[in-house]
Amino acid sequence: MAYRIPASFAVAAVELAVERGIDLPRLLVEAGLSPIRTRPHDLRVTAEQAVRLAVALRRMTGDELFGLGAAPVPRGTLHILSHAMAGVPTLREGIDRLAMLVKPLAGFPDLELEPCGRDHALRLHVPPGAGPLLTVMVAAIADRIIGWAIGRATPKVRVEFPFPEPPNSADIALLLGEEIRYGAGEFPALILPASALASPIAHDEQSVVDYVARAPGEWLASEPGTLPLARRVRQLIERGLARRHIVTAEELAAALTTSVPTLRRQLRQEGSSLREIRDEVLAKTAETALRTTDDPIASIATRLGFSETSAFTRAFHRWTGEAPARYRARLRETS
């Protein structure tokens, strides 16, 4: 995907960085841009160049917040926070864990999740006087991490900011959507529907590595990436099997906040189906169990949701062209 950080944010970030001692010509060279401009407000950058500026600022400052916060946030912090999000089952638990982990971080705002009518407000305790630039960037990063964690755009009711509507409000809408309320409350907040908090976390350790490798463009992209639906369904089925539970179509649809017919239709549009995904997961799990354990075939069949061993044998033959016993024996003959 093409990341698009609004140019007004890049220029404002560069202005603040220069005020704090960053060498502008060196920054431009680091970003692969011409150092001919000597004043930040003379910069004219495209959205793609803005991403390169953000990457260069992060590299030069060694700060996850690009040197714009009250105190540096050490490189690798957001990597750790992303790992924390990937290690829990639901978004609510992920936010609770994030709130606990960021408390000792001097440069990162505290997080607070609280009821807000029928919804919930994720309040970001950005220090007073931080200014609109840092406030919006923190909100955008929180929005992107949540969206990445659940594999889809964050389902916000609205975003609230404590400052009046600024001249570049159109750029803020590009990052965070049109439903923005200015002059609201003491701290910025993402207002989330209660149902969103039950959303399953859609990532594992490897996808954390991939995600962090795309930062910081991913954090401030105007079009946040989402996981393909088939992959999210596969992960839910795998997690169910890990708990020795066979996830039903109804449970999958509920976890993905959709209906079963819509889920089936969207999977068809991706060129997949529930049955194909389920068979792939069951086949892979069965092969692993036959290869790495001495568990009886009957117990493997039960664990995979088959009421009879004969039904599992027929299914395994359909998946692999071999009966389970023959598959296991062949592997042992060649080992």
Side-chain angles (χ1 to χ4, degrees):
M1 65 173 284
Y3 300 123
R4 301 190 180 280
I5 297 175
S8 68
F9 283 89
V11 173
V14 170
E15 287 179 341
L16 186 53
V18 170
E19 287 178 11
R20 297 185 177 186
I22 290 291
D23 184 306
L24 178 59
R26 182 188 162 201
L27 172 62
L28 296 178
V29 170
E30 287 268 342
L33 304 176
S34 170
I36 193 170
R37 302 292 186 184
T38 58
R39 295 178 299 179
H41 62 264
D42 288 335
L43 288 174
R44 298 293 182 269
V45 296
T46 66
E48 287 74 17
Q49 289 171 331
V51 172
R52 297 211 298 270
L53 279 168
V55 171
L57 262 178
R58 182 167 171 258
R59 184 168 58 241
M60 289 176 66
T61 61
D63 183 353
E64 296 280 33
L65 292 182
F66 317 105
L68 305 180
V73 176
R75 289 283 298 275
T77 298
L78 291 178
H79 191 163
I80 294 170
L81 297 181
S82 299
H83 268 288
M85 287 287 280
V88 295
T90 68
L91 179 59
R92 176 186 283 276
E93 291 163 286
I95 291 174
D96 288 344
R97 179 176 283 190
L98 281 183
M100 178 184 66
L101 290 175
V102 300
K103 276 190 177 298
L105 300 179
F108 208 89
D110 286 348
L111 309 179
E112 179 185 12
L113 185 66
E114 62 180 16
C116 180
R118 292 182 300 176
D119 306 310
H120 281 73
L122 176 60
R123 302 205 182 278
L124 311 166
H125 289 219
V126 178
L133 174 64
L134 180 61
T135 302
V136 171
M137 289 178 70
V138 168
I141 290 171
D143 176 70
R144 295 310 187 264
I145 289 179
I146 290 173
W148 164 80
I150 62 176
R152 57 194 171 100
T154 302
K156 302 180 293 294
V157 175
R158 65 181 180 277
V159 180
E160 295 181 352
F161 289 115
F163 50 80
E165 182 171 353
N168 67 336
S169 59
D171 281 348
I172 298 176
L174 182 66
L175 283 176
L176 290 164
E178 297 293 336
E179 295 298 324
I180 298 177
R181 184 178 297 174
Y182 294 98
E186 183 181 1
F187 299 108
L190 305 181
I191 310 301
L192 308 173
S195 60
L197 299 179
S199 299
I201 299 298
H203 290 276
D204 54 23
E205 295 291 315
Q206 182 55 50
S207 58
V208 171
V209 174
D210 296 340
Y211 175 67
V212 173
R214 298 194 301 271
E218 182 81 5
W219 301 335
L220 298 177
S222 62
E223 300 171 1
T226 59
L227 283 178
L229 180 61
R231 182 173 170 187
R232 291 160 61 195
V233 168
R234 181 176 291 106
Q235 289 177 338
L236 289 170
I237 294 172
E238 289 171 344
R239 289 182 180 184
L241 282 177
R243 303 192 309 271
R244 301 204 170 192
H245 173 66
I246 305 301
V247 182
T248 66
E250 290 73 19
E251 288 171 331
L252 287 169
L256 296 167
T257 61
T258 188
S259 66
V260 172
T262 299
L263 175 60
R264 294 187 189 279
R265 175 175 54 78
Q266 291 175 336
L267 285 172
R268 281 198 303 272
Q269 291 171 349
E270 289 189 4
S272 187
S273 71
L274 279 178
R275 177 169 179 173
E276 287 177 5
I277 297 169
R278 193 185 302 278
D279 280 355
E280 288 172 8
V281 173
L282 292 177
K284 178 182 175 182
T285 305
E287 289 174 2
T288 300
L290 291 167
R291 185 176 65 252
T292 62
T293 76
D294 293 321
D295 294 349
I297 291 174
S299 68
I300 295 173
T302 300
R303 193 158 68 241
L304 296 182
F306 292 89
S307 57
E308 297 180 358
T309 304
S310 59
F312 169 64
T313 298
R314 289 193 298 272
F316 191 85
H317 193 279
R318 187 176 73 249
W319 299 331
T320 66
E322 292 182 287
R326 176 56 193 152
Y327 177 87
R328 175 178 269 172
R330 178 174 58 79
L331 290 178
R332 290 179 176 176
E333 288 169 3
T334 57
S335 62

